[in-house]
Amino acid sequence: MTNGERRTLMLDFLGYLKRTHMCGELRASDAGSKVVLMGWVNKRRDLGNLIFLDLRDRTGITQVVVTADSGAAHDKAADVRSEFVLAVIGHVKLRDQGTVNKNIATGEIEVVADAVRLLNDCKPLPFTPADTVLANEEVRLKHRYVDLRRPEMQRNIQLRHKVSIAIREFLNSQGFYEIETPFMTRSTPEGARDYLVPSRVYPGEFYALPQSPQIFKQILMISGFDKYFQIVRCFRDEDLRADRQPEFTQIDLEISFARPEMVFHVVEGFLKAAFSTIGVDLHTPFPQMSYDQAIRLYGIDKPDLRIPCMADVREAFAPANLETLHVDAELPIVAIVIPKVGDLSRKDRDEIKTMFGDRKDAKVFEDIKRLEKSFPEAAAKIRELAKPNAEDLLVVVAGNVLATAANAVTDPAHQTAVRQCQRAYEIYAAAGQLRLALAQKYAERHGAFKHGNFRFLWVTDFPMFEWDEAEGRWNAAHHPFTSPHEHDMDKLESDPGAVRALAYDVVLNGTELGSGSIRIHRQDIQAKIFKALGMSPEEQQARFGFFLEALQYGTPPHGGIALGLDRIVMILAGAESLREVIPFPKTAKAVDLMVDAPTPVSARQLKELGIAVVGKKDL
RNA sequence: GGGGUCGUAGUUCAGUUGGUUAGAACGCUGCCCUGUCACGGCAGAGGCCGCGGGUUCGAGUCCCGUCGACCCCGCCA
């Protein structure tokens, strides 16, 4: 018999047999009882006249012993291989002293088989759930049903279930209604690319899968449902990342007569409930920080609070120092502190330069001791401002003096200001990136990234508009229905860049978990925003006509938020990728390797939809 | 769209400066084994070295292209 071939086995029927226990349940106190277990063969250890089978289901593993005197049972057990599906009828026996297995919960007992039923066999697998080394992800995804049997995946999916249930229960207790919104809806040309669904009835016309139920949930507020939530799939046709899938699940909610604090309170409540499912007691309320602060202190709008913030050390340098160092005096100078890194070799310090990259606009001083030699006073002042401990790594990031030509400004005045802001922002961002890269590299040393350290944060007061360099106009930073700050209304026309939005993000350990805002409920303000965005009344009508009409029929003030369920579960599970907490994820090229999707469809299907596909080369 | 890492047996990997018949472990098949739990012992099967082209007397190894997996940038209102 060659590899892969097996003698034909006689399989048994389940018949009237009923399972009495799960495989992870039995304990010493069950000794003596008659039991029926069902599950998969995790491992077989065949000692000849004595065969051990580890039977596995979602609750755990029980060792089954089959002795030669059990006759038929022993013959069957001899034929059994990995991942066969069995029913074992037997009795629970306390294990002898020396044979207890402390590694499994059921290790004090074993089930002595009286009879074995072969419910199904299993072809030799590319990998098994019992393997100690993990197979390649490509192989895992192709045979996802096997991969999902692995205890770790079972745990992750169970965790996901628990988190969903905890959130549902909490929101229900707070008076939220769970209301479904359509998956087949209208394409909104702004934002991410839509996944389109062709209409058969109207050839050439398309539905779009929702990027979020945004407009529907706002309409539900107009409809008087007061508090809505939904744990809902959303779709975005953009390139993937470890933390981005084309279809993902959001915890979406909206509240009528809402102020931001009310939204914060609800989110803190359900996150507390979700985290308590794994025994983590979250401290609420979460700290808050303005967007502006986040940029200046962390160089990013989703600060990771597990490591110290950056420090502004601009004042440490005398004008003469800056000139010598070719540092732009107009731009910020920031110090990064990474705790407990200890002494670095010359090679490690050079590595920092590589990590920072070759930039025109910014430079890094990675060797503070060298800076100390030439500029002792500045270095002393930097230490005073950044407050590193003796073992901490301290590096400084500053702006480069640019050639005058590159810095020439012919734009109107407000654009000059924008440009200056932009350059400062780039310094902060560059420093922020280096801070994270260093923190990642020296994670072992500072220990702040160990699983279980959950640092939440609200980031508030996002800018209302972003300047679009390519288009030469302002864009909505969040979406065009986000309400501006009441105090900033008067700047809508005079200084759009300074208008703050009533928008907020909830951030955990440097990952954006969710984003929300108080929405515009008044027609007059909505008109001003569209005007600031340079959108003509015709364009407004074409894009959002139905919604603008709805807004006019008694819209209450309202606001809400949406959080990524996948990301929450990923962080709770301590996983590196969303794919570890999504049962059937897609690859980086948006392919489902198990079902092999997407695929071409038949000419007949296309004809019915009025669709012609142009050759790939023509695209 | 751009940059990077990787691709060798079913799986995880090794493979020297380009040089005989491409190795190991696990898995698989057969035999032996009554206390294993990463069971053990003996024997065996299993390879288009991702694919295509090039350089060379000779390519798993060097070069070019291509496909696939992963990570990052762009993108994600």
mmCIF file of all heavy atoms in Angstrom, chain A residues 267-268 270-272 274-275 280-289 298 303-306 452-459 505-514 563 567-568 571-572:
data_model
loop_
_atom_site.group_PDB
_atom_site.id
_atom_site.type_symbol
_atom_site.label_atom_id
_atom_site.label_comp_id
_atom_site.label_asym_id
_atom_site.label_seq_id
_atom_site.Cartn_x
_atom_site.Cartn_y
_atom_site.Cartn_z
ATOM 1 N N VAL A 267 -19.727 53.588 25.061
ATOM 2 C CA VAL A 267 -18.623 52.787 24.516
ATOM 3 C C VAL A 267 -17.769 52.223 25.656
ATOM 4 O O VAL A 267 -17.414 51.035 25.655
ATOM 5 C CB VAL A 267 -17.763 53.621 23.549
ATOM 6 C CG1 VAL A 267 -16.490 52.871 23.168
ATOM 7 C CG2 VAL A 267 -18.575 53.971 22.297
ATOM 8 N N GLU A 268 -17.479 53.068 26.632
ATOM 9 C CA GLU A 268 -16.697 52.598 27.782
ATOM 10 C C GLU A 268 -17.442 51.462 28.486
ATOM 11 O O GLU A 268 -16.837 50.481 28.909
ATOM 12 C CB GLU A 268 -16.433 53.762 28.741
ATOM 13 C CG GLU A 268 -15.350 54.692 28.212
ATOM 14 C CD GLU A 268 -15.367 56.085 28.842
ATOM 15 O OE1 GLU A 268 -16.223 56.345 29.713
ATOM 16 O OE2 GLU A 268 -14.524 56.920 28.454
ATOM 17 N N PHE A 270 -19.645 49.266 27.150
ATOM 18 C CA PHE A 270 -19.661 47.953 26.484
ATOM 19 C C PHE A 270 -18.261 47.374 26.340
ATOM 20 O O PHE A 270 -18.090 46.143 26.337
ATOM 21 C CB PHE A 270 -20.488 47.957 25.184
ATOM 22 C CG PHE A 270 -19.885 48.553 23.941
ATOM 23 C CD1 PHE A 270 -18.734 48.056 23.373
ATOM 24 C CD2 PHE A 270 -20.540 49.605 23.297
ATOM 25 C CE1 PHE A 270 -18.228 48.594 22.199
ATOM 26 C CE2 PHE A 270 -20.042 50.149 22.130
ATOM 27 C CZ PHE A 270 -18.875 49.641 21.586
ATOM 28 N N LEU A 271 -17.247 48.241 26.285
ATOM 29 C CA LEU A 271 -15.888 47.703 26.248
ATOM 30 C C LEU A 271 -15.537 47.070 27.591
ATOM 31 O O LEU A 271 -14.893 46.017 27.660
ATOM 32 C CB LEU A 271 -14.890 48.793 25.876
ATOM 33 C CG LEU A 271 -14.889 49.172 24.397
ATOM 34 C CD1 LEU A 271 -13.983 50.373 24.137
ATOM 35 C CD2 LEU A 271 -14.458 47.998 23.518
ATOM 36 N N LYS A 272 -15.996 47.706 28.663
ATOM 37 C CA LYS A 272 -15.788 47.139 30.000
ATOM 38 C C LYS A 272 -16.427 45.758 30.068
ATOM 39 O O LYS A 272 -15.824 44.803 30.553
ATOM 40 C CB LYS A 272 -16.410 48.082 31.040
ATOM 41 C CG LYS A 272 -15.837 47.967 32.440
ATOM 42 C CD LYS A 272 -16.479 49.026 33.320
ATOM 43 C CE LYS A 272 -16.173 48.815 34.794
ATOM 44 N NZ LYS A 272 -14.792 49.177 35.149
ATOM 45 N N ALA A 274 -17.144 43.807 27.525
ATOM 46 C CA ALA A 274 -16.450 42.891 26.616
ATOM 47 C C ALA A 274 -15.158 42.380 27.250
ATOM 48 O O ALA A 274 -14.854 41.193 27.203
ATOM 49 C CB ALA A 274 -16.144 43.590 25.297
ATOM 50 N N PHE A 275 -14.398 43.283 27.858
ATOM 51 C CA PHE A 275 -13.105 42.889 28.433
ATOM 52 C C PHE A 275 -13.282 42.039 29.682
ATOM 53 O O PHE A 275 -12.402 41.238 30.019
ATOM 54 C CB PHE A 275 -12.240 44.126 28.701
ATOM 55 C CG PHE A 275 -11.476 44.584 27.486
ATOM 56 C CD1 PHE A 275 -12.145 45.045 26.367
ATOM 57 C CD2 PHE A 275 -10.086 44.528 27.449
ATOM 58 C CE1 PHE A 275 -11.455 45.440 25.229
ATOM 59 C CE2 PHE A 275 -9.386 44.921 26.319
ATOM 60 C CZ PHE A 275 -10.064 45.379 25.215
ATOM 61 N N VAL A 280 -10.586 40.863 32.369
ATOM 62 C CA VAL A 280 -9.861 42.128 32.467
ATOM 63 C C VAL A 280 -10.822 43.206 32.939
ATOM 64 O O VAL A 280 -11.892 43.397 32.352
ATOM 65 C CB VAL A 280 -9.263 42.537 31.102
ATOM 66 C CG1 VAL A 280 -8.633 43.918 31.187
ATOM 67 C CG2 VAL A 280 -8.244 41.508 30.647
ATOM 68 N N ASP A 281 -10.455 43.883 34.033
ATOM 69 C CA ASP A 281 -11.309 44.936 34.556
ATOM 70 C C ASP A 281 -10.797 46.280 34.046
ATOM 71 O O ASP A 281 -9.767 46.768 34.499
ATOM 72 C CB ASP A 281 -11.296 44.886 36.091
ATOM 73 C CG ASP A 281 -12.290 45.873 36.678
ATOM 74 O OD1 ASP A 281 -13.234 46.268 35.950
ATOM 75 O OD2 ASP A 281 -12.110 46.263 37.848
ATOM 76 N N LEU A 282 -11.509 46.863 33.105
ATOM 77 C CA LEU A 282 -11.063 48.140 32.529
ATOM 78 C C LEU A 282 -11.378 49.290 33.455
ATOM 79 O O LEU A 282 -12.450 49.350 34.063
ATOM 80 C CB LEU A 282 -11.759 48.377 31.184
ATOM 81 C CG LEU A 282 -11.322 47.549 29.991
ATOM 82 C CD1 LEU A 282 -11.986 48.089 28.735
ATOM 83 C CD2 LEU A 282 -9.817 47.562 29.836
ATOM 84 N N HIS A 283 -10.442 50.213 33.526
ATOM 85 C CA HIS A 283 -10.643 51.409 34.320
ATOM 86 C C HIS A 283 -11.292 52.471 33.447
ATOM 87 O O HIS A 283 -10.741 52.850 32.417
ATOM 88 C CB HIS A 283 -9.296 51.902 34.854
ATOM 89 C CG HIS A 283 -9.420 53.001 35.840
ATOM 90 N ND1 HIS A 283 -9.175 54.308 35.517
ATOM 91 C CD2 HIS A 283 -9.815 52.983 37.144
ATOM 92 C CE1 HIS A 283 -9.393 55.055 36.585
ATOM 93 N NE2 HIS A 283 -9.775 54.287 37.580
ATOM 94 N N THR A 284 -12.493 52.920 33.818
ATOM 95 C CA THR A 284 -13.179 53.958 33.043
ATOM 96 C C THR A 284 -13.417 55.166 33.946
ATOM 97 O O THR A 284 -13.454 55.021 35.156
ATOM 98 C CB THR A 284 -14.522 53.443 32.510
ATOM 99 O OG1 THR A 284 -15.287 52.951 33.599
ATOM 100 C CG2 THR A 284 -14.333 52.358 31.463
ATOM 101 N N PRO A 285 -13.622 56.363 33.394
ATOM 102 C CA PRO A 285 -13.571 56.700 31.960
ATOM 103 C C PRO A 285 -12.152 56.677 31.402
ATOM 104 O O PRO A 285 -11.183 56.785 32.155
ATOM 105 C CB PRO A 285 -14.129 58.126 31.932
ATOM 106 C CG PRO A 285 -13.855 58.670 33.294
ATOM 107 C CD PRO A 285 -13.935 57.522 34.236
ATOM 108 N N PHE A 286 -12.062 56.526 30.077
ATOM 109 C CA PHE A 286 -10.763 56.556 29.416
ATOM 110 C C PHE A 286 -10.236 57.986 29.374
ATOM 111 O O PHE A 286 -11.024 58.924 29.307
ATOM 112 C CB PHE A 286 -10.887 56.056 27.969
ATOM 113 C CG PHE A 286 -11.454 54.675 27.832
ATOM 114 C CD1 PHE A 286 -12.107 54.307 26.666
ATOM 115 C CD2 PHE A 286 -11.326 53.730 28.847
ATOM 116 C CE1 PHE A 286 -12.633 53.026 26.520
ATOM 117 C CE2 PHE A 286 -11.848 52.450 28.708
ATOM 118 C CZ PHE A 286 -12.511 52.103 27.547
ATOM 119 N N PRO A 287 -8.915 58.150 29.385
ATOM 120 C CA PRO A 287 -8.365 59.500 29.232
ATOM 121 C C PRO A 287 -8.714 60.091 27.864
ATOM 122 O O PRO A 287 -9.007 59.350 26.929
ATOM 123 C CB PRO A 287 -6.858 59.287 29.367
ATOM 124 C CG PRO A 287 -6.632 57.841 29.142
ATOM 125 C CD PRO A 287 -7.879 57.137 29.539
ATOM 126 N N GLN A 288 -8.686 61.421 27.783
ATOM 127 C CA GLN A 288 -8.981 62.088 26.516
ATOM 128 C C GLN A 288 -7.828 62.998 26.125
ATOM 129 O O GLN A 288 -7.111 63.506 26.985
ATOM 130 C CB GLN A 288 -10.251 62.941 26.644
ATOM 131 C CG GLN A 288 -11.480 62.120 26.922
ATOM 132 C CD GLN A 288 -12.723 62.992 27.060
ATOM 133 O OE1 GLN A 288 -12.756 64.113 26.578
ATOM 134 N NE2 GLN A 288 -13.738 62.443 27.717
ATOM 135 N N MET A 289 -7.710 63.225 24.832
ATOM 136 C CA MET A 289 -6.629 64.055 24.319
ATOM 137 C C MET A 289 -7.107 64.672 23.009
ATOM 138 O O MET A 289 -7.775 63.994 22.215
ATOM 139 C CB MET A 289 -5.423 63.153 24.062
ATOM 140 C CG MET A 289 -4.181 63.858 23.580
ATOM 141 S SD MET A 289 -2.889 62.640 23.246
ATOM 142 C CE MET A 289 -2.607 61.968 24.874
ATOM 143 N N TYR A 298 2.677 62.603 20.203
ATOM 144 C CA TYR A 298 2.879 61.228 19.707
ATOM 145 C C TYR A 298 3.126 61.167 18.205
ATOM 146 O O TYR A 298 3.432 60.113 17.670
ATOM 147 C CB TYR A 298 1.677 60.353 20.085
ATOM 148 C CG TYR A 298 1.515 60.203 21.573
ATOM 149 C CD1 TYR A 298 0.731 61.100 22.292
ATOM 150 C CD2 TYR A 298 2.174 59.197 22.272
ATOM 151 C CE1 TYR A 298 0.598 60.991 23.669
ATOM 152 C CE2 TYR A 298 2.043 59.070 23.643
ATOM 153 C CZ TYR A 298 1.264 59.973 24.343
ATOM 154 O OH TYR A 298 1.152 59.854 25.697
ATOM 155 N N PRO A 303 -2.418 57.572 19.327
ATOM 156 C CA PRO A 303 -1.254 57.371 20.203
ATOM 157 C C PRO A 303 -1.270 56.034 20.938
ATOM 158 O O PRO A 303 -2.316 55.584 21.369
ATOM 159 C CB PRO A 303 -1.391 58.507 21.218
ATOM 160 C CG PRO A 303 -2.274 59.512 20.588
ATOM 161 C CD PRO A 303 -3.208 58.751 19.706
ATOM 162 N N ASP A 304 -0.098 55.447 21.021
ATOM 163 C CA ASP A 304 0.100 54.258 21.836
ATOM 164 C C ASP A 304 0.622 54.728 23.183
ATOM 165 O O ASP A 304 1.779 55.143 23.301
ATOM 166 C CB ASP A 304 1.102 53.315 21.159
ATOM 167 C CG ASP A 304 1.134 51.946 21.840
ATOM 168 O OD1 ASP A 304 0.836 51.887 23.049
ATOM 169 O OD2 ASP A 304 1.459 50.958 21.161
ATOM 170 N N LEU A 305 -0.223 54.655 24.203
ATOM 171 C CA LEU A 305 0.138 55.202 25.513
ATOM 172 C C LEU A 305 1.030 54.278 26.323
ATOM 173 O O LEU A 305 1.406 54.615 27.440
ATOM 174 C CB LEU A 305 -1.136 55.498 26.321
ATOM 175 C CG LEU A 305 -2.130 56.498 25.723
ATOM 176 C CD1 LEU A 305 -3.247 56.773 26.722
ATOM 177 C CD2 LEU A 305 -1.437 57.799 25.348
ATOM 178 N N ARG A 306 1.337 53.107 25.771
ATOM 179 C CA ARG A 306 2.126 52.160 26.561
ATOM 180 C C ARG A 306 3.582 52.596 26.707
ATOM 181 O O ARG A 306 4.299 52.095 27.556
ATOM 182 C CB ARG A 306 2.052 50.758 25.935
ATOM 183 C CG ARG A 306 0.662 50.147 26.044
ATOM 184 C CD ARG A 306 0.580 48.831 25.310
ATOM 185 N NE ARG A 306 0.833 48.991 23.889
ATOM 186 C CZ ARG A 306 0.879 47.987 23.018
ATOM 187 N NH1 ARG A 306 0.715 46.747 23.453
ATOM 188 N NH2 ARG A 306 1.088 48.211 21.746
ATOM 189 N N GLY A 452 -1.885 42.043 27.653
ATOM 190 C CA GLY A 452 -2.578 42.305 28.905
ATOM 191 C C GLY A 452 -2.483 43.756 29.337
ATOM 192 O O GLY A 452 -3.182 44.189 30.244
ATOM 193 N N ASN A 453 -1.623 44.520 28.673
ATOM 194 C CA ASN A 453 -1.488 45.947 28.969
ATOM 195 C C ASN A 453 -2.390 46.731 28.017
ATOM 196 O O ASN A 453 -2.038 46.962 26.872
ATOM 197 C CB ASN A 453 -0.014 46.346 28.790
ATOM 198 C CG ASN A 453 0.254 47.780 29.214
ATOM 199 O OD1 ASN A 453 -0.588 48.421 29.849
ATOM 200 N ND2 ASN A 453 1.432 48.281 28.874
ATOM 201 N N PHE A 454 -3.592 47.081 28.484
ATOM 202 C CA PHE A 454 -4.570 47.732 27.610
ATOM 203 C C PHE A 454 -4.698 49.218 27.955
ATOM 204 O O PHE A 454 -5.197 49.571 29.022
ATOM 205 C CB PHE A 454 -5.932 47.042 27.738
ATOM 206 C CG PHE A 454 -5.897 45.580 27.397
ATOM 207 C CD1 PHE A 454 -6.139 44.621 28.371
ATOM 208 C CD2 PHE A 454 -5.614 45.155 26.107
ATOM 209 C CE1 PHE A 454 -6.105 43.265 28.055
ATOM 210 C CE2 PHE A 454 -5.582 43.808 25.782
ATOM 211 C CZ PHE A 454 -5.823 42.860 26.770
ATOM 212 N N ARG A 455 -4.236 50.088 27.040
ATOM 213 C CA ARG A 455 -4.283 51.527 27.313
ATOM 214 C C ARG A 455 -5.210 52.212 26.312
ATOM 215 O O ARG A 455 -4.862 52.410 25.155
ATOM 216 C CB ARG A 455 -2.864 52.107 27.234
ATOM 217 C CG ARG A 455 -1.903 51.504 28.261
ATOM 218 C CD ARG A 455 -2.200 51.934 29.690
ATOM 219 N NE ARG A 455 -2.145 53.370 29.837
ATOM 220 C CZ ARG A 455 -1.030 54.049 30.113
ATOM 221 N NH1 ARG A 455 0.100 53.421 30.273
ATOM 222 N NH2 ARG A 455 -1.062 55.359 30.216
ATOM 223 N N PHE A 456 -6.392 52.549 26.822
ATOM 224 C CA PHE A 456 -7.396 53.196 25.981
ATOM 225 C C PHE A 456 -7.247 54.711 25.998
ATOM 226 O O PHE A 456 -6.686 55.285 26.939
ATOM 227 C CB PHE A 456 -8.795 52.854 26.497
ATOM 228 C CG PHE A 456 -9.252 51.488 26.101
ATOM 229 C CD1 PHE A 456 -9.009 50.403 26.922
ATOM 230 C CD2 PHE A 456 -9.927 51.288 24.917
ATOM 231 C CE1 PHE A 456 -9.435 49.138 26.565
ATOM 232 C CE2 PHE A 456 -10.363 50.031 24.548
ATOM 233 C CZ PHE A 456 -10.113 48.956 25.371
ATOM 234 N N LEU A 457 -7.799 55.321 24.968
ATOM 235 C CA LEU A 457 -7.709 56.780 24.862
ATOM 236 C C LEU A 457 -8.792 57.301 23.921
ATOM 237 O O LEU A 457 -9.089 56.684 22.893
ATOM 238 C CB LEU A 457 -6.331 57.146 24.282
ATOM 239 C CG LEU A 457 -6.094 58.612 23.904
ATOM 240 C CD1 LEU A 457 -5.972 59.461 25.158
ATOM 241 C CD2 LEU A 457 -4.834 58.733 23.050
ATOM 242 N N TRP A 458 -9.382 58.438 24.290
ATOM 243 C CA TRP A 458 -10.248 59.155 23.348
ATOM 244 C C TRP A 458 -9.441 60.271 22.711
ATOM 245 O O TRP A 458 -8.817 61.052 23.414
ATOM 246 C CB TRP A 458 -11.453 59.777 24.060
ATOM 247 C CG TRP A 458 -12.472 58.773 24.505
ATOM 248 C CD1 TRP A 458 -12.680 58.317 25.775
ATOM 249 C CD2 TRP A 458 -13.421 58.109 23.668
ATOM 250 N NE1 TRP A 458 -13.697 57.394 25.777
ATOM 251 C CE2 TRP A 458 -14.169 57.253 24.495
ATOM 252 C CE3 TRP A 458 -13.706 58.141 22.301
ATOM 253 C CZ2 TRP A 458 -15.190 56.440 24.010
ATOM 254 C CZ3 TRP A 458 -14.717 57.338 21.818
ATOM 255 C CH2 TRP A 458 -15.460 56.497 22.667
ATOM 256 N N VAL A 459 -9.449 60.343 21.398
ATOM 257 C CA VAL A 459 -8.852 61.478 20.707
ATOM 258 C C VAL A 459 -10.000 62.344 20.201
ATOM 259 O O VAL A 459 -10.905 61.833 19.531
ATOM 260 C CB VAL A 459 -7.941 61.027 19.546
ATOM 261 C CG1 VAL A 459 -7.359 62.236 18.823
ATOM 262 C CG2 VAL A 459 -6.825 60.140 20.068
ATOM 263 N N ASP A 505 -12.191 59.646 18.144
ATOM 264 C CA ASP A 505 -11.751 58.271 17.896
ATOM 265 C C ASP A 505 -11.497 57.605 19.237
ATOM 266 O O ASP A 505 -11.026 58.260 20.172
ATOM 267 C CB ASP A 505 -10.421 58.256 17.120
ATOM 268 C CG ASP A 505 -10.625 58.463 15.619
ATOM 269 O OD1 ASP A 505 -11.775 58.706 15.204
ATOM 270 O OD2 ASP A 505 -9.622 58.391 14.882
ATOM 271 N N VAL A 506 -11.783 56.318 19.315
ATOM 272 C CA VAL A 506 -11.339 55.571 20.490
ATOM 273 C C VAL A 506 -10.160 54.716 20.049
ATOM 274 O O VAL A 506 -10.209 54.028 19.037
ATOM 275 C CB VAL A 506 -12.480 54.748 21.144
ATOM 276 C CG1 VAL A 506 -13.125 53.779 20.168
ATOM 277 C CG2 VAL A 506 -11.964 54.014 22.371
ATOM 278 N N VAL A 507 -9.069 54.842 20.816
ATOM 279 C CA VAL A 507 -7.799 54.240 20.442
ATOM 280 C C VAL A 507 -7.357 53.286 21.541
ATOM 281 O O VAL A 507 -7.511 53.587 22.723
ATOM 282 C CB VAL A 507 -6.738 55.347 20.240
ATOM 283 C CG1 VAL A 507 -5.356 54.748 20.006
ATOM 284 C CG2 VAL A 507 -7.138 56.259 19.091
ATOM 285 N N LEU A 508 -6.847 52.119 21.146
ATOM 286 C CA LEU A 508 -6.308 51.162 22.110
ATOM 287 C C LEU A 508 -4.926 50.728 21.663
ATOM 288 O O LEU A 508 -4.764 50.165 20.580
ATOM 289 C CB LEU A 508 -7.247 49.942 22.229
ATOM 290 C CG LEU A 508 -6.694 48.722 22.976
ATOM 291 C CD1 LEU A 508 -6.233 49.092 24.376
ATOM 292 C CD2 LEU A 508 -7.741 47.626 23.033
ATOM 293 N N ASN A 509 -3.942 50.998 22.502
ATOM 294 C CA ASN A 509 -2.562 50.571 22.226
ATOM 295 C C ASN A 509 -2.092 50.936 20.819
ATOM 296 O O ASN A 509 -1.432 50.142 20.150
ATOM 297 C CB ASN A 509 -2.435 49.050 22.418
ATOM 298 C CG ASN A 509 -2.636 48.653 23.868
ATOM 299 O OD1 ASN A 509 -2.751 49.509 24.744
ATOM 300 N ND2 ASN A 509 -2.667 47.368 24.131
ATOM 301 N N GLY A 510 -2.456 52.122 20.368
ATOM 302 C CA GLY A 510 -1.987 52.562 19.054
ATOM 303 C C GLY A 510 -2.804 52.068 17.889
ATOM 304 O O GLY A 510 -2.450 52.296 16.743
ATOM 305 N N THR A 511 -3.895 51.369 18.174
ATOM 306 C CA THR A 511 -4.799 50.938 17.105
ATOM 307 C C THR A 511 -6.094 51.729 17.198
ATOM 308 O O THR A 511 -6.661 51.858 18.291
ATOM 309 C CB THR A 511 -5.124 49.434 17.247
ATOM 310 O OG1 THR A 511 -3.921 48.693 17.120
ATOM 311 C CG2 THR A 511 -6.095 48.976 16.161
ATOM 312 N N GLU A 512 -6.546 52.251 16.059
ATOM 313 C CA GLU A 512 -7.830 52.937 16.048
ATOM 314 C C GLU A 512 -8.926 51.889 16.106
ATOM 315 O O GLU A 512 -9.095 51.106 15.190
ATOM 316 C CB GLU A 512 -7.953 53.773 14.768
ATOM 317 C CG GLU A 512 -9.256 54.527 14.678
ATOM 318 C CD GLU A 512 -9.590 54.968 13.250
ATOM 319 O OE1 GLU A 512 -8.694 55.492 12.571
ATOM 320 O OE2 GLU A 512 -10.746 54.771 12.838
ATOM 321 N N LEU A 513 -9.673 51.897 17.212
ATOM 322 C CA LEU A 513 -10.747 50.910 17.355
ATOM 323 C C LEU A 513 -12.038 51.412 16.759
ATOM 324 O O LEU A 513 -12.868 50.644 16.301
ATOM 325 C CB LEU A 513 -10.999 50.597 18.830
ATOM 326 C CG LEU A 513 -10.060 49.678 19.554
ATOM 327 C CD1 LEU A 513 -10.656 49.310 20.901
ATOM 328 C CD2 LEU A 513 -9.784 48.424 18.750
ATOM 329 N N GLY A 514 -12.236 52.723 16.829
ATOM 330 C CA GLY A 514 -13.504 53.247 16.350
ATOM 331 C C GLY A 514 -13.459 54.739 16.176
ATOM 332 O O GLY A 514 -12.566 55.420 16.668
ATOM 333 N N LEU A 563 -17.258 50.887 16.028
ATOM 334 C CA LEU A 563 -15.994 50.278 16.448
ATOM 335 C C LEU A 563 -15.759 48.975 15.694
ATOM 336 O O LEU A 563 -16.697 48.228 15.444
ATOM 337 C CB LEU A 563 -16.022 49.964 17.945
ATOM 338 C CG LEU A 563 -15.707 51.106 18.907
ATOM 339 C CD1 LEU A 563 -16.886 52.027 19.031
ATOM 340 C CD2 LEU A 563 -15.305 50.573 20.259
ATOM 341 N N ARG A 567 -10.969 44.093 15.275
ATOM 342 C CA ARG A 567 -9.764 44.646 15.915
ATOM 343 C C ARG A 567 -9.800 44.476 17.427
ATOM 344 O O ARG A 567 -8.775 44.193 18.059
ATOM 345 C CB ARG A 567 -9.620 46.125 15.565
ATOM 346 C CG ARG A 567 -9.151 46.330 14.144
ATOM 347 C CD ARG A 567 -8.889 47.780 13.858
ATOM 348 N NE ARG A 567 -8.469 47.948 12.467
ATOM 349 C CZ ARG A 567 -8.246 49.117 11.903
ATOM 350 N NH1 ARG A 567 -8.385 50.234 12.593
ATOM 351 N NH2 ARG A 567 -7.859 49.181 10.653
ATOM 352 N N ILE A 568 -10.994 44.660 18.006
ATOM 353 C CA ILE A 568 -11.117 44.481 19.452
ATOM 354 C C ILE A 568 -10.756 43.040 19.815
ATOM 355 O O ILE A 568 -9.959 42.793 20.726
ATOM 356 C CB ILE A 568 -12.560 44.790 19.919
ATOM 357 C CG1 ILE A 568 -12.857 46.281 19.737
ATOM 358 C CG2 ILE A 568 -12.760 44.368 21.365
ATOM 359 C CD1 ILE A 568 -14.304 46.657 19.969
ATOM 360 N N ILE A 571 -6.993 42.234 19.459
ATOM 361 C CA ILE A 571 -6.164 42.705 20.563
ATOM 362 C C ILE A 571 -6.420 41.877 21.819
ATOM 363 O O ILE A 571 -5.484 41.494 22.519
ATOM 364 C CB ILE A 571 -6.409 44.209 20.814
ATOM 365 C CG1 ILE A 571 -5.871 45.006 19.621
ATOM 366 C CG2 ILE A 571 -5.758 44.658 22.111
ATOM 367 C CD1 ILE A 571 -6.218 46.464 19.624
ATOM 368 N N LEU A 572 -7.687 41.541 22.067
ATOM 369 C CA LEU A 572 -8.008 40.700 23.227
ATOM 370 C C LEU A 572 -7.324 39.338 23.120
ATOM 371 O O LEU A 572 -6.865 38.779 24.113
ATOM 372 C CB LEU A 572 -9.518 40.495 23.324
ATOM 373 C CG LEU A 572 -10.296 41.574 24.065
ATOM 374 C CD1 LEU A 572 -11.784 41.320 23.963
ATOM 375 C CD2 LEU A 572 -9.878 41.642 25.526
#
